Amino acid sequence: MALEITQYLLAAQSPDAKIRTEAESALGQFRDQNLPGFLLSLSVELSNDGKPTESRRLAGIVLKNSLDAKEAARKENLIQQWVSIDISIKSQIKSFLLNTLGSSVSEACHTAAQVIAKIASIEIPRKEWPELIGLLLANMTQPDRPASLKQATLETLGYVCEEISHHDLVQDEVNAILTAVVQGMNVSEANPEVRLAATRALFNALDFAQTNFENEMERNYIMKVICDAALAKETEIRQAAFECLVSIASTYYEVLEPYMLRIFELTSNAVKGDEEAVALQAVEFWSSICDEEMELQDYEVPESGDSSASHSRFIEKALPTLVPMLLETLLKQDEDQDQDDGTWNLAMAGGTCLCLVARTVGDAVVPLVMPFVEANISKTEWRAREAATYAFGSILEGPSTEKLSPMVNAGLDFLLSAMKDANGHVKDTTAWTLSRIFELLHSPATGFSVITPANLQRILGILLDSIKDAPHVAEKVCGAIYYIAQGYEDAGTSSSLLTPFLRDIITNLIATADRTDSSDSKLRSSAYETLNEVVRCSNLAETSQMIVELLPVMMSKLEQTSNLQIVSSDDREKQGDLQASLCGVLQVIIQKLSSADETKPIILQAADQIMVLFLNVFACRSSTVHEEAMLAIGALAYATGLEFGKYMQEFYKYLEMGLQNFEEYQVCAISVGVVGDICRALDDKVLPYCDGIMTLLLKDLSSGELHRSVKPPIFSCFGDIALAIGEHFEKYISYALPMMQSASEVCAQMDDNDEEMVEYGNQLRRSIFEAYSGILQGFKNSRADLMLPHAPHLLQFIELVANDRHRDESVTKAAVAVLGDLADALGSNIKTMFKDRAFFTELLGECLQSDDEQLKETATWTQGMLGRAFSVYG
């Protein structure tokens, strides 16, 4: 039974906190006591044009939030609540919502459209509400229906298509929706609001149109209507039409050929003279074409010159006209674009697209861009100088080193001088371009670098001078130094070239991190990230003294963060960011100094103090800090080995908190990784903590709330624990093995066509194999018999994976390794299991042919283990 709830909905928006709280409480009580009646009352309120707009607005919001939530477990709960409501009440609610589409108040129509789509997302996949599409289409086809109803209906159809999968509708329904939508988009549609709603609805319906796009006549008509809409009088319709073209570029690339001339003309005119919102979408169309063509090139077989039949090389064909169009956009900068990270304008979109074009066509882009660079780089107008520099920086990835090196060598000195330009935008873009040069064209290890012993001093002198510039320039300079340091990693004698400058670089980076003139913490984070890279990539034999001196400086800075005055949540966030950065630096220092016998004692001596600092940081309760401090503690455990045991009692409670942090799942994943580090450090000394840890890990695996990406590391962690505690893992077998087996069954049922799922499936498989390997090795010397009952299931899983064409190299390696571990641990017991299985000979044969030395080595070892187990191999 619907109740009169207008007064409560209005009171819940009262400026008086007492009235507001009472109303919220009354509404909450009504919902908890009688959910069906509550939802019905809300739908009645929303549909009644006699009610105040304010109460209707809130009714719609509450209704929508009663059907959907961002958080997966809550969403599932809301769906179940709706499903269990009596069908007659649901029918009444849906009827009120459909009636609301005819309301004279556009806000009510808009909300009803969203709520209908949310219900559709629950019911249509369940084959419920089959009449919905028909009812909506009747609003479009029956004569004399008002334009506002058509608009609201098209909006609803768009939202429904956004919410459901194209598998949920039959082709007749898709055809009817497309007919209604395309009709609404037509030039003959007099009402611009209807035309806009139709164009937006088509954007959401494009995924459903596969069959229609295969039919040339239907495709021609749809494309004509979109191209006509791209010329509409109204900006919003033109923008929505170009958004459809962007989507078509990636969804239906292979059928675009006949329309490309018309689309080029449309995009070109939009970029030259339309409103920015429309021009941005026109540029985005070409960016999407680049993405498609790069993906197609990845699948081409270079040796055979076999070009994919669907690769139309649109970018290559359009190059002579496309590149000049993009270069023109670079001159349309905003005055304050460097000050705000969120800025996105035509110049940035054009530069991004030019980067993609360079990656798509390579060398061919260079002669088209360089005349623009040379013509503009020295002009008095700052926009010209900045655009020329941006163009230069945008074509550094894609073309060959042979093509780029003459122009980069010729231009480097000019760019270094431009770091003194009078204009901040020019300096900002120059620093970005320099960092791209050092990222892409500075690789002494492979024998090519634009940096030489002759110009290194000038380069660093200018960068360390410019790091004192405005924060947005300094941040890009940090990036340039980062890539210079990275290039010298593992570069043999060349890495010594940087050593004389390191003390100066480190001092400047610390000073930059300490700057107070930056409004956010981005510059400080960049400075510390660069410092990390400088330390990580340095030649330890030459720099150990500097790094040893850096350790107490960073420890002192971390200690001081505890004394910061925290008044607001903003202060708390700043403290957290700073602590995260400092923990990151300490992690790198710990790893660097503990990697050599000469410097490892430094870490062992400081370990007590370092651990105290990390534990203090945990007391501050911020997730970013938790992540970084956890990672740093993992490094400390690895460095200190058995000595780490003395910190476990104090640290364990924080580890427990990390393993239970479902909300911030990255913290949970890192905590799982740290368990592995601790197992490797402590071996069987970790035993007293294993019951607690295993209980939490098993709970994590059973949870529907925890993000799936954390589950593979948990299985790998089982292997780490088993390896550390050996036969003591026996008591966890009856809990861990069923989990591993059911996860391996999940792997077998994953969707091969979903790239994300394939990648996740590979992670899951590898981690299950790692778990089995750890358990088999842990039991090998004393309790191998415990694994005999589980061996057939494991073998079956290995066979399944061996036959899967989607497995990646890391999965293959883990599968072959666990096969060897199985033979090593169980010996001749496995003979009978292999009797009718030929897959392993083929798998090992494949691995022995591999170019990957490590994989070959593992396969050879496994072959030996199987040979020993069978006595006579094969």
Side-chain angles (χ1 to χ4, degrees):
M1 163 65 196
L3 287 178
E4 191 60 38
I5 57 170
T6 314
Q7 69 207 60
Y8 295 113
L9 289 165
L10 292 173
Q13 300 170 73
S14 165
D16 183 325
K18 186 171 180 292
I19 295 172
R20 200 168 59 240
T21 311
E22 283 173 4
E24 284 168 357
S25 163
L27 289 168
Q29 218 173 339
F30 182 12
R31 181 191 60 225
D32 296 342
Q33 287 170 0
N34 180 4
L35 182 67
F38 178 64
L39 297 180
L40 182 58
S41 302
L42 291 169
S43 63
V44 169
E45 187 76 23
L46 180 61
S47 69
N48 188 339
D49 273 355
K51 296 291 183 181
T53 308
E54 294 75 14
S55 65
R56 295 176 78 183
R57 180 189 302 126
L58 187 58
I61 291 169
V62 175
L63 201 45
K64 196 168 72 171
N65 292 343
S66 303
L67 296 161
D68 191 26
K70 279 199 177 80
E71 206 260 301
R74 172 155 171 69
K75 180 175 180 156
E76 189 48 43
N77 188 24
L78 294 174
I79 289 172
Q80 291 314 322
Q81 285 181 355
W82 172 263
V83 169
S84 61
I85 290 173
D86 182 84
I87 194 161
S88 65
I89 293 183
K90 283 195 286 199
S91 297
Q92 287 178 66
I93 292 170
K94 291 187 289 194
S95 174
F96 280 119
L97 288 167
L98 286 166
N99 289 340
T100 309
L101 296 178
S103 168
S104 56
V105 180
S106 61
E107 198 180 336
C109 305
H110 176 71
T111 307
Q114 290 178 313
V115 179
I116 290 168
K118 291 297 176 197
I119 295 174
S121 75
I122 300 171
E123 297 202 343
I124 287 181
R126 288 179 158 77
K127 304 286 179 247
E128 294 164 9
W129 211 1
E131 70 277 16
L132 170 65
I133 302 297
L135 290 168
L136 291 171
L137 292 171
N139 290 343
M140 301 298 299
T141 50
Q142 288 179 7
D144 306 326
R145 290 291 166 108
S148 61
L149 176 62
K150 285 185 178 179
Q151 181 198 342
T153 301
L154 286 163
E155 199 177 342
T156 309
L157 283 168
Y159 286 142
V160 169
C161 289
E162 191 178 11
E163 289 284 345
I164 65 175
S165 153
H166 59 272
H167 302 299
D168 294 329
L169 296 180
V170 296
Q171 190 56 42
D172 285 351
E173 289 175 312
V174 173
N175 294 344
I177 289 172
L178 286 172
T179 303
V181 167
V182 171
Q183 217 164 5
M185 283 176 72
N186 223 314
V187 183
S188 58
E189 175 53 64
N191 186 303
E193 299 292 338
V194 170
R195 202 172 172 202
L196 175 62
T199 313
R200 286 178 175 164
L202 179 65
F203 177 80
N204 287 326
L206 281 169
D207 268 351
F208 294 71
Q210 281 149 340
T211 307
N212 312 80
F213 263 81
E214 283 161 15
N215 177 318
E216 190 185 351
M217 229 169 76
E218 290 184 41
R219 182 173 72 239
N220 286 344
Y221 187 59
I222 294 170
M223 291 302 290
K224 180 189 178 309
V225 170
I226 295 171
C227 291
D228 289 346
L231 294 169
K233 220 169 53 248
E234 297 76 14
T235 306
E236 282 185 290
I237 296 177
R238 294 198 301 279
Q239 183 185 341
F242 275 111
E243 283 170 4
C244 288
L245 288 175
V246 171
S247 174
I248 288 168
S250 51
T251 317
Y252 301 112
Y253 170 91
E254 63 285 353
V255 295
L256 274 178
E257 180 89 62
Y259 317 105
M260 284 306 278
L261 271 175
R262 175 96 201 267
I263 293 173
F264 186 85
E265 188 189 333
L266 288 169
T267 54
S268 180
N269 291 336
V271 169
K272 282 178 190 146
D274 209 328
E275 304 284 330
E276 186 170 70
V278 182
L280 283 171
Q281 290 304 321
V283 172
E284 186 61 31
F285 171 82
W286 290 102
S287 292
S288 290
I289 294 287
C290 287
D291 287 336
E292 286 307 303
E293 297 201 343
M294 281 190 283
E295 201 171 317
L296 287 167
Q297 282 160 15
D298 286 345
Y299 292 116
E300 281 180 11
V301 186
E303 298 82 52
S304 62
D306 173 31
S307 173
S308 160
S310 61
H311 190 176
S312 303
R313 306 196 181 282
F314 293 133
I315 298 296
E316 203 178 286
K317 291 171 189 165
L319 216 52
T321 36
L322 176 62
V323 170
M325 173 181 100
L326 294 173
L327 291 170
E328 279 305 303
T329 65
L330 303 187
L331 293 157
K332 299 184 178 178
Q333 310 95 324
D334 289 342
E335 283 287 352
D336 57 353
Q337 65 182 29
D338 298 327
Q339 312 305 324
D340 176 15
D341 276 344
T343 304
W344 184 247
N345 58 33
L346 194 53
M348 290 172 163
T352 302
C353 188
L354 188 58
C355 284
L356 293 169
V357 167
R359 286 171 56 199
T360 307
V361 300
D363 289 359
V365 80
V366 177
L368 293 168
V369 171
M370 285 315 290
F372 175 86
V373 175
E374 286 153 9
N376 288 284
I377 197 85
S378 300
K379 283 191 176 169
T380 49
E381 163 63 26
W382 75 263
R383 289 178 186 279
R385 298 197 303 281
E386 194 274 341
T389 312
Y390 192 10
F392 190 77
S394 297
I395 59 168
L396 293 170
E397 188 180 2
S400 62
T401 305
E402 293 73 28
K403 189 79 175 171
L404 291 172
S405 57
M407 70 176 210
V408 172
N409 282 322
L412 184 59
D413 203 54
F414 188 96
L415 288 167
L416 291 168
S417 303
M419 287 306 298
K420 297 274 187 285
D421 196 284
N423 181 276
H425 297 296
V426 176
K427 286 189 283 193
D428 184 287
T429 304
T430 303
W432 171 78
T433 300
L434 285 168
S435 91
R436 296 255 304 163
I437 288 173
F438 301 142
E439 177 188 3
L440 301 163
L441 295 163
H442 163 53
S443 177
T446 60
F448 177 79
S449 176
V450 294
I451 302 177
T452 62
N455 64 15
L456 178 59
Q457 186 166 3
R458 170 161 154 74
I459 290 170
L460 288 171
I462 284 172
L463 291 176
L464 293 180
D465 200 22
S466 301
I467 207 169
K468 301 175 181 74
D469 211 312
H472 61 91
V473 176
E475 192 200 317
K476 312 278 191 314
V477 172
C478 286
I481 296 170
Y482 179 100
Y483 289 118
I484 290 175
Q486 193 178 74
Y488 283 120
E489 186 184 16
D490 301 331
T493 51
S494 295
S495 63
S496 300
L497 291 173
L498 199 57
T499 306
F501 304 98
L502 281 184
R503 197 174 287 276
D504 210 7
I505 291 172
I506 289 170
T507 306
N508 274 283
L509 287 170
I510 293 172
T512 304
D514 287 343
R515 278 171 62 162
T516 53
D517 60 342
S518 179
S519 56
D520 59 21
S521 58
K522 206 164 170 221
L523 174 59
R524 188 174 58 206
S525 298
S526 294
Y528 279 131
E529 274 169 34
T530 305
L531 179 60
N532 289 350
E533 201 63 3
V534 167
V535 170
R536 196 181 67 75
C537 300
S538 67
N539 182 336
L540 185 61
E542 298 171 352
T543 57
S544 58
Q545 192 48 43
M546 275 181 255
I547 300 172
V548 167
E549 288 167 21
L550 186 59
L551 177 60
V553 175
M554 290 297 131
M555 286 169 64
S556 162
K557 281 183 175 296
L558 185 56
E559 189 175 17
Q560 286 160 25
T561 59
S562 308
N563 308 327
L564 289 172
Q565 198 180 4
I566 308 295
V567 180
S568 64
S569 59
D570 196 34
D571 291 339
R572 169 79 60 209
E573 193 181 331
K574 279 181 181 161
Q575 180 198 39
D577 288 345
L578 178 56
Q579 288 176 329
S581 289
L582 292 166
C583 286
V585 180
L586 284 168
Q587 180 196 344
V588 174
I589 294 175
I590 291 166
Q591 286 167 331
K592 193 74 180 175
L593 291 179
S594 60
S595 67
D597 291 341
E598 298 77 23
T599 46
K600 192 171 187 173
I602 307 285
I603 295 300
L604 299 180
Q605 283 161 19
D608 288 2
Q609 287 168 278
I610 295 174
M611 195 64 192
V612 168
L613 291 173
F614 290 156
L615 293 171
N616 286 343
V617 162
F618 276 122
C620 291
R621 312 275 330 108
S622 151
S623 69
T624 46
V625 189
H626 257 186
E627 283 182 51
E628 299 298 335
M630 273 291 177
L631 287 166
I633 283 176
L636 191 64
Y638 186 77
T640 53
L642 284 170
E643 287 295 307
F644 191 82
K646 61 182 170 183
Y647 311 127
M648 274 304 287
Q649 208 168 347
E650 188 58 35
F651 169 58
Y652 181 71
K653 62 180 175 198
Y654 296 114
L655 183 62
E656 235 180 0
M657 279 157 59
L659 292 173
Q660 292 177 83
N661 196 338
F662 289 3
E663 283 290 298
E664 293 147 346
Y665 65 88
Q666 292 92 337
V667 176
C668 188
I670 287 165
S671 304
V672 171
V674 170
V675 171
D677 292 331
I678 291 169
C679 288
R680 284 183 285 279
L682 298 184
D683 280 333
D684 60 354
K685 302 288 183 293
V686 76
L687 193 56
Y689 303 96
C690 284
D691 282 1
I693 289 171
M694 280 300 292
T695 304
L696 291 171
L697 293 176
L698 291 163
K699 198 169 153 194
D700 285 350
L701 281 177
S702 315
S703 161
E705 286 174 56
L706 184 61
H707 195 276
R708 70 175 190 209
S709 65
V710 187
K711 298 194 174 180
I714 292 175
F715 286 120
S716 302
C717 196
F718 284 173
D720 294 330
I721 293 171
L723 208 47
I725 63 173
E727 62 188 42
H728 299 289
F729 196 80
E730 180 183 346
K731 60 173 165 179
Y732 308 125
I733 280 285
S734 58
Y735 304 103
L737 264 290
M739 291 275 195
M740 286 153 62
Q741 286 169 4
S742 66
S744 62
E745 278 150 26
V746 168
C747 289
Q749 289 152 16
M750 280 184 180
D751 180 0
D752 282 357
N753 300 315
D754 182 339
E755 265 181 57
E756 238 177 73
M757 284 314 280
V758 168
E759 194 183 328
Y760 176 65
N762 278 327
Q763 290 168 0
L764 198 52
R765 282 175 243 235
R766 186 180 70 232
S767 65
I768 295 167
F769 287 143
E770 285 170 354
Y772 274 115
S773 276
I775 295 169
L776 285 162
Q777 288 172 36
F779 284 166
K780 185 174 83 169
N781 297 327
S782 52
R783 297 307 319 268
D785 56 297
L786 287 171
M787 289 304 285
L788 261 176
H790 305 286
H793 191 285
L794 171 56
L795 260 183
Q796 196 184 339
F797 183 42
I798 299 172
E799 182 169 7
L800 187 83
V801 171
N803 295 330
D804 179 14
R805 61 196 169 87
H806 291 294
R807 66 181 148 88
D808 64 23
E809 198 128 293
S810 68
V811 174
T812 309
K813 211 173 280 182
V816 172
V818 79
L819 197 55
D821 287 325
L822 190 65
D824 185 23
L826 300 182
S828 58
N829 288 316
I830 62 166
K831 237 177 173 175
T832 51
M833 294 177 210
F834 275 85
K835 222 163 93 190
D836 302 316
R837 296 179 187 271
F839 78 91
F840 66 92
T841 357
E842 203 176 311
L843 178 64
L844 289 174
E846 174 198 320
C847 297
L848 293 166
Q849 298 290 306
S850 167
D851 298 336
D852 183 327
E853 285 307 315
Q854 214 186 339
L855 182 55
K856 251 189 212 170
E857 216 174 285
T858 307
T860 308
W861 175 79
T862 296
Q863 201 173 38
M865 287 299 130
L866 287 166
R868 212 175 66 187
F870 299 167
S871 300
V872 182
Y873 178 61

PDB file of all heavy atoms in Angstrom, residues 87 238 609 774 776:
ATOM      1  N   ILE A  87       5.089  -9.671  -7.415  1.00  0.00           N
ATOM      2  CA  ILE A  87       5.030  -9.250  -8.822  1.00  0.00           C
ATOM      3  C   ILE A  87       3.982  -8.163  -9.072  1.00  0.00           C
ATOM      4  O   ILE A  87       4.166  -7.265  -9.899  1.00  0.00           O
ATOM      5  CB  ILE A  87       4.813 -10.485  -9.734  1.00  0.00           C
ATOM      6  CG1 ILE A  87       5.085 -10.126 -11.190  1.00  0.00           C
ATOM      7  CG2 ILE A  87       3.432 -11.088  -9.559  1.00  0.00           C
ATOM      8  CD1 ILE A  87       5.336 -11.339 -12.077  1.00  0.00           C
ATOM      9  N   ARG A 238      25.430  18.051 -32.748  1.00  0.00           N
ATOM     10  CA  ARG A 238      26.663  17.802 -33.509  1.00  0.00           C
ATOM     11  C   ARG A 238      27.671  17.023 -32.651  1.00  0.00           C
ATOM     12  O   ARG A 238      28.290  16.058 -33.100  1.00  0.00           O
ATOM     13  CB  ARG A 238      27.303  19.128 -33.961  1.00  0.00           C
ATOM     14  CG  ARG A 238      26.481  19.895 -34.967  1.00  0.00           C
ATOM     15  CD  ARG A 238      27.311  20.939 -35.711  1.00  0.00           C
ATOM     16  NE  ARG A 238      27.946  21.931 -34.866  1.00  0.00           N
ATOM     17  CZ  ARG A 238      27.364  23.008 -34.359  1.00  0.00           C
ATOM     18  NH1 ARG A 238      26.083  23.250 -34.631  1.00  0.00           N
ATOM     19  NH2 ARG A 238      28.026  23.863 -33.599  1.00  0.00           N
ATOM     20  N   GLN A 609      65.718   1.089  14.258  1.00  0.00           N
ATOM     21  CA  GLN A 609      65.170   2.456  14.154  1.00  0.00           C
ATOM     22  C   GLN A 609      64.202   2.567  12.980  1.00  0.00           C
ATOM     23  O   GLN A 609      63.153   3.208  13.083  1.00  0.00           O
ATOM     24  CB  GLN A 609      66.304   3.470  13.920  1.00  0.00           C
ATOM     25  CG  GLN A 609      67.170   3.728  15.130  1.00  0.00           C
ATOM     26  CD  GLN A 609      68.412   4.490  14.690  1.00  0.00           C
ATOM     27  OE1 GLN A 609      69.377   3.916  14.206  1.00  0.00           O
ATOM     28  NE2 GLN A 609      68.359   5.806  14.832  1.00  0.00           N
ATOM     29  N   GLY A 774      54.897 -24.899  -4.053  1.00  0.00           N
ATOM     30  CA  GLY A 774      55.375 -24.640  -2.689  1.00  0.00           C
ATOM     31  C   GLY A 774      54.999 -25.769  -1.744  1.00  0.00           C
ATOM     32  O   GLY A 774      55.805 -26.220  -0.920  1.00  0.00           O
ATOM     33  N   LEU A 776      54.214 -28.943  -2.528  1.00  0.00           N
ATOM     34  CA  LEU A 776      54.944 -30.178  -2.878  1.00  0.00           C
ATOM     35  C   LEU A 776      56.388 -30.120  -2.384  1.00  0.00           C
ATOM     36  O   LEU A 776      56.903 -31.089  -1.807  1.00  0.00           O
ATOM     37  CB  LEU A 776      54.926 -30.387  -4.401  1.00  0.00           C
ATOM     38  CG  LEU A 776      53.582 -30.878  -4.983  1.00  0.00           C
ATOM     39  CD1 LEU A 776      53.523 -30.634  -6.487  1.00  0.00           C
ATOM     40  CD2 LEU A 776      53.367 -32.369  -4.672  1.00  0.00           C
TER      41      LEU A 776
END
